[in-house]
Amino acid sequence: MCNRYRMTASQAEVAARYGIALPYPDDLTIPPPELFPKRPAYVIRDEAGQRALDVMAWGFPSPAAGSAPVTNVRNLASPFWRSALATPTRRCLVPFTAFSEYGPGEKGKLPLFWFDVPSQPIVSFAGIWRPTEAGPVFALLTIEPNAIVAPVHPKAMPVLLHAEDEAAWLTAGWEEAQRLVAPFPTQLMRVE
C-alpha cells in the first residue's frame, strides 16, 4: 500500500509551499523523483510553533525482529502508533507530487497507476515520525480508498490533507486531528 511516491519539486519550492523560514538547512537533497521505503524524503514538522523542513527515512522499525520497516499506519488504535498519533509534535506532513499503486493483473506484470491532485502542485500526506538511533523515521497514515483509488487498490489509500487542514494535523489534539483521517475527495484527484 502506497510504497512509492514522487516528489518532483525542489527544496526551495517545498520550503516556499510550507512557509519554511529562511535559512533552512543547506543541501537537504533527496534522490527524486521517485521515493521508496528506507530511503530519505522531505518531511515537514512543527518545531516550537514554526514549521521545520527535515529529511527522514521512510519506515518505522518493525516491532517484529527481522521484519521490514513499517511504512503505513492503518490501525490507529494500535498501541504501536498511539503515542505518536496522540502527540502533535510527532505528527508530520510528507510532501509529494504523485503517489502510485499497482492495479490488478497478472503477477509480475501489474500495471502501475499514478494519482495526483491537479489543483495542488505539492500535496501533503498525513504522517507521523520518531527519532531512532539511526536517525529520524516517518510513516504515512492510510484509510479506506475513495472511488478513484478503489478500483486500482481496494484495500486502502494514503491520507491526503487539504492545505487548510495541515496546521491542525501538526498542532491539534488527537480528537480534532483524527477527524482529518478521511478519504480525499475523488473529484479533486486524477489517475494516470
Side-chain angles (χ1 to χ4, degrees), residues 94-143:
V94 181
F96 74 96
T97 52
F99 71 92
S100 69
E101 295 291 355
Y102 284 103
E106 185 182 331
K107 191 172 184 169
K109 296 181 181 182
L110 299 177
L112 185 63
F113 293 83
W114 286 94
F115 300 89
D116 68 0
V117 179
S119 64
Q120 296 181 42
I122 302 172
V123 188
S124 297
F125 292 127
I128 57 173
W129 74 279
R130 78 171 198 196
T132 69
E133 289 181 10
V137 296
F138 73 93
L140 309 177
L141 272 68
T142 62
I143 192 73

Side-chain angles (χ1 to χ4, degrees), residues 57-72:
W58 184 11
F60 272 53
S62 174
S67 296
V70 182
T71 56
N72 297 300

Side-chain angles (χ1 to χ4, degrees), residues 12 19 27 37 42-43 70 108-109 134 140 149 183 191:
D27 246 359
Y42 291 129
V43 172
V70 182
K109 296 181 181 182
L140 309 177
V149 176
V191 60

Side-chain angles (χ1 to χ4, degrees), residues 39-106:
R39 299 211 181 133
Y42 291 129
V43 172
I44 311 300
R45 59 184 181 78
D46 185 74
E47 187 174 90
Q50 293 205 342
R51 290 185 177 180
L53 173 62
D54 285 320
V55 173
M56 298 183 187
W58 184 11
F60 272 53
S62 174
S67 296
V70 182
T71 56
N72 297 300
V73 181
R74 177 81 170 148
N75 180 1
L76 303 183
S78 167
F80 186 72
W81 303 117
R82 195 176 304 140
S83 65
L85 291 166
T87 308
T89 56
R90 290 299 160 93
R91 290 189 227 127
C92 62
L93 306 173
V94 181
F96 74 96
T97 52
F99 71 92
S100 69
E101 295 291 355
Y102 284 103
E106 185 182 331

